[in-house]
Amino acid sequence: MQHRAVFLICAPEDRQLADQIATDVHTASGLTVWCEAPASDNSSPAESAQQRLDQAQAAIVLLSPYSAASEYVLAQILYAQRIGVLIIPVLCAECTGPVTFCLNHLEWVVRRDGVPLARAIDQYLEQKRAL
Amino acid sequence: MSEKHLFISFSQEDSSLVQELARLLRDRAGLDVWYYQEQTVGIEYVTRLMHAIEQARAVLLVLSQASAHSVFVLNEILHTRKQRIRIIPIYVEACSGPVCVLVNHLHRIQMRDGQDVLPLILEALELPVLFGTDFPVGELAVVDAYQQWSWPTTICYLEVPDHMAPLELPTEIGRWNIGRLPVSANHIAINQGFVSRSHAYIRVRLEENGVSFVVYDESSYGTYVNGERISIAQVLNEGDEIGLGQPDAMLRFAYSLETRAPQANFGL
């Protein structure tokens, strides 16, 4: 059976939210969610993150005011684009910046309080598979 | 002359041509030109690029096979549209791709060998701004197996004069053609199987409670909605799948954010 795993890209400031989302998505859909935010000094574990991306079905990008201007997040997105990994932008808070600019061409999932994100991500994956 | 610069959107593969173009605009017309010349992409790069677009008088889009499929160029054009800045497409070769789809409806310049392109650019810059902005009214996702590009999904755009209030818009606000290549004739060009040269078209109509989309068949092999061949025309609903010359889904229709609500807000 194919291993279903997604990689979660976020800014260090959003790590707590990312962990919560990873747990929710895994519990609800059985997807393995890898999450490696850089340390708060922004010394990014870029290499190991990219190894995870190499194996992931998709990359979930948490969009927040922090990640919208994060060098680490941008680097991972550009890498994911280069290797052709499906990118799922998830808007967690209103934001704009270089990272959102680079995701202009994609459909975004909007995270809302009380609405399970796992279902939206599952639908997104299903839709892309169907296409 | 405006003090604002011209932003050039292009693919790195066309950089020598762009340098020539920039020199032409600076030396012969005294225009200020901005285009990115660094090789690395980072937060600082993108930030400067965004600001350069936002402060531009107009964006010259150099269209080639490379730029027509460039994600970066695509994002520059989408950002330009959000800022409601004039886009002038300059075709340097015959090409098709998602970027072309976004600008198909705009006044264009064709660059030919030996031709002086400067007067054409100057003329395009002075054209009256009849159309302030355009916005998506519907989206068609093209099924991967039948497409030459995989993004974007938005295809139905409409230009609306700045001074027009929504109620003054004509009842029929747009028509989008679907058929075989080239994209100069079709907004959605699909080179596949039984797709006719002019296969079908979608009309967008303003209704009292929003916008409706109607697909019309004009092909030999038929147009299908959700697997059923349509006789002449059919109203499209969210999620409808369209087959061209075959029942299998090739396009999937969706309302855009602006028209999804029952009472469409045209954001003017």
Side-chain angles (χ1 to χ4, degrees):
Chain A
M1 199 180 83
Q2 195 190 1
H3 184 58
R4 299 175 71 219
V6 295
F7 184 75
L8 210 153
I9 302 171
C10 66
E13 293 86 347
D14 299 321
R15 184 61 206 239
Q16 202 176 343
L17 174 66
D19 286 342
Q20 183 200 326
I21 288 173
T23 306
D24 291 350
V25 170
H26 177 68
T27 307
S29 66
L31 278 170
T32 300
V33 183
W34 294 314
C35 179
E36 279 182 52
S40 51
D41 62 359
N42 232 11
S43 58
S44 67
E47 203 172 311
S48 61
Q50 290 178 357
Q51 283 169 2
R52 290 294 198 194
L53 272 172
D54 288 336
Q55 301 162 42
Q57 271 195 317
I60 299 172
V61 183
L62 296 194
L63 291 173
S64 72
Y66 302 113
S67 63
S70 161
E71 198 75 64
Y72 165 82
V73 172
L74 181 64
Q76 301 313 317
I77 289 170
L78 294 174
Y79 182 76
Q81 283 177 341
R82 203 159 50 239
I83 63 172
V85 169
L86 174 69
I87 297 173
I88 308 176
V90 175
L91 186 65
C92 300
E94 201 59 49
C95 58
T96 180
V99 167
T100 59
F101 173 90
C102 292
L103 298 174
N104 259 340
H105 62 293
L106 298 174
E107 295 171 53
W108 294 9
V109 173
V110 180
R111 180 177 176 270
R112 293 187 177 87
D113 286 339
V115 180
L117 190 60
R119 187 174 156 74
I121 288 171
D122 242 9
Q123 282 177 342
Y124 200 107
L125 287 170
E126 280 301 318
Q127 189 190 346
K128 296 296 173 189
R129 245 197 308 273
L131 287 176
Chain B
M1 191 185 76
S2 164
E3 287 178 8
K4 285 182 168 183
H5 60 263
L6 298 177
F7 180 97
I8 304 181
S9 178
F10 69 105
S11 161
Q12 286 298 327
E13 292 179 37
D14 302 316
S15 50
S16 57
L17 187 146
V18 167
Q19 284 167 14
E20 278 297 311
L21 180 64
R23 197 162 29 242
L24 181 78
L25 291 163
R26 281 181 184 135
D27 295 351
R28 284 185 47 205
L31 292 167
D32 190 11
V33 180
W34 199 102
Y35 65 100
Y36 218 87
Q37 300 172 66
E38 289 183 23
Q39 298 299 317
T40 52
V41 177
I43 289 292
E44 191 193 335
Y45 163 93
V46 182
T47 304
R48 285 171 59 190
L49 188 121
M50 289 169 70
H51 289 159
I53 291 174
E54 288 157 14
Q55 289 158 14
R57 172 184 176 188
V59 170
L60 303 183
L61 167 60
V62 174
L63 268 168
S64 64
Q65 279 297 353
S67 63
H69 290 84
S70 159
V71 174
F72 229 91
V73 171
L74 183 67
N75 284 330
E76 286 173 0
I77 296 306
L78 289 169
H79 191 66
T80 306
R81 295 168 61 114
K82 279 187 196 166
Q83 309 303 318
R84 304 174 67 157
I85 290 167
R86 186 202 297 266
I87 300 168
I88 302 174
I90 303 175
Y91 284 75
V92 298
E93 62 181 333
C95 56
S96 61
V99 177
C100 298
V101 173
L102 286 182
V103 299
N104 249 345
H105 58 294
L106 299 177
H107 174 81
R108 67 175 67 183
I109 291 170
Q110 207 87 41
M111 204 183 244
R112 295 189 178 86
D113 283 346
Q115 185 188 23
D116 187 1
V117 77
L118 185 60
L120 303 176
I121 294 173
L122 296 178
E123 183 191 14
L125 283 170
E126 296 307 322
L127 284 176
V129 184
L130 291 174
F131 303 112
T133 184
D134 43 29
F135 60 89
V137 291
E139 300 171 5
L140 282 179
V142 184
V143 177
D144 278 348
Y146 298 102
Q147 65 178 2
Q148 301 200 339
W149 52 82
S150 54
W151 27 251
T153 55
T154 46
I155 58 100
C156 294
Y157 282 82
L158 169 72
E159 287 187 335
V160 179
D162 260 344
H163 59 273
M164 266 194 181
L167 290 177
E168 293 173 316
L169 289 168
T171 310
E172 185 177 311
I173 56 173
R175 169 180 163 141
W176 283 270
N177 300 322
I178 305 169
R180 277 188 178 275
L181 293 172
V183 287
S184 54
N186 292 302
H187 299 87
I188 308 156
I190 299 178
N191 240 3
Q192 182 79 26
F194 298 106
V195 179
S196 303
R197 194 169 179 78
S198 296
H199 195 103
Y201 59 92
I202 294 173
R203 275 199 166 138
V204 186
R205 291 179 60 82
L206 274 182
E207 313 281 0
E208 277 184 9
N209 59 349
V211 176
S212 73
F213 298 81
V214 186
V215 60
Y216 292 81
D217 177 46
E218 50 180 9
S219 69
S220 311
Y221 294 100
T223 299
Y224 296 77
V225 175
N226 299 327
E228 298 287 329
R229 185 168 180 168
I230 65 172
S231 53
I232 301 170
Q234 184 161 327
V235 174
L236 290 173
N237 294 306
E238 180 81 14
D240 277 352
E241 293 182 333
I242 302 169
L244 305 170
Q246 58 170 42
D248 294 349
M250 296 168 79
L251 303 163
R252 181 173 295 119
F253 173 77
Y255 285 95
S256 73
L257 285 176
E258 286 83 351
T259 51
R260 201 165 284 160
Q263 295 290 332
N265 171 12
F266 290 95
L268 294 175

